[in-house]
Amino acid sequence: MRAITTPALSFPPELLLKAQGDGLGLKAAIFDVDGVLTDGRIYIGEGGESFKAFSTLDGHGLKLLDQGGITPLIITGRDSPAVRRRVADLGLKHAVYGARDKLAVAEPLLAQMGLDWSQVAAMGDDWPDLPLMCRAAFACAPAQAHPEVLAIAHHVTRAPGGHGAARECCDLLLMACGRYADLLHGHLSTLDGGLPA
């Protein structure tokens, strides 16, 4: 068996430093849904029901982020059973659906959690996400985001929304806070704590 001693993934040191945040570091990360956790397309069935496609890479990344001590928050401008189901399946504890003003819902949520903007990252792809991204200590955007969002992002992912962009952001945040390698090595162990044969 080939042992993994050093993670294959890497980011530039200056980006990792920025992604650490100030003071006590980042404690939460806000993610948009349409265009970030999905590719932004909405399929509408004959009966008016909407369908969305989600990436398992992103889902696992959000779980890892939570395990690493950075709480994922979902704030989306739309509401749909598909999104609610995905959030529930991932076991995410904090989500706001149908938010017309994302800043207005984010601030009381962060206050309830005892957090301020210096402890928060945000990932979005379009104008409604700009107020969150401008206030967050670290802002991420998927590759296909609107130019105004790309202009203020600290990091633009190689992957587009719905195809691993959120996972890339999660990996970056975990690497910046020094938890990525431990989580990776934990996945190499079997349930009884030994390495797989």
Side-chain angles (χ1 to χ4, degrees):
M1 182 187 101
R2 186 177 62 83
I4 298 176
T5 55
T6 306
L9 184 64
S10 66
F11 294 97
E14 61 276 8
L15 180 61
L16 289 170
L17 190 61
K18 182 64 182 170
Q20 286 176 356
D22 297 325
L24 299 174
L26 299 181
K27 304 295 180 195
I30 300 170
F31 294 87
D32 178 34
V33 174
D34 293 316
V36 173
L37 297 182
T38 75
D39 65 7
R41 292 184 290 178
I42 299 167
Y43 300 92
I44 300 176
E46 255 182 51
E49 67 279 16
S50 65
F51 301 93
K52 299 172 190 278
F54 297 94
S55 167
T56 57
L57 281 172
D58 292 338
H60 193 63
L62 292 169
K63 288 180 176 182
L64 288 172
L65 195 66
D66 199 28
Q67 290 172 23
I70 300 174
T71 304
L73 313 171
I74 303 298
I75 299 181
T76 177
R78 298 176 61 88
D79 191 0
S80 75
V83 174
R84 286 180 180 261
R85 172 66 185 270
R86 182 65 173 150
V87 168
D89 286 351
L90 293 174
L92 304 180
K93 299 174 190 74
H94 304 282
V96 179
Y97 309 96
R100 295 182 67 135
D101 181 340
K102 293 186 178 186
L103 182 60
V105 300
E107 292 196 320
L109 180 58
L110 294 178
Q112 177 188 354
M113 297 173 70
L115 301 175
D116 61 48
W117 287 106
S118 69
Q119 299 170 294
V120 177
M123 185 171 193
D125 72 309
D126 207 346
W127 289 13
D129 305 308
L130 287 171
L132 305 180
M133 296 175 71
C134 286
R135 284 164 178 80
F138 188 77
C140 246
Q144 87 298 342
H146 189 279
E148 302 301 339
V149 174
L150 296 174
I152 60 106
H154 297 108
H155 179 64
V156 176
T157 64
R158 291 181 291 270
H163 297 278
R167 175 59 176 274
E168 186 177 327
C169 179
C170 292
D171 288 344
L172 170 57
L173 296 176
L174 289 168
M175 197 167 281
C177 73
R179 297 186 190 112
Y180 182 91
D182 287 343
L183 287 165
L184 174 62
H185 288 110
H187 275 66
L188 296 174
S189 299
T190 59
L191 292 177
D192 63 4
L195 288 175

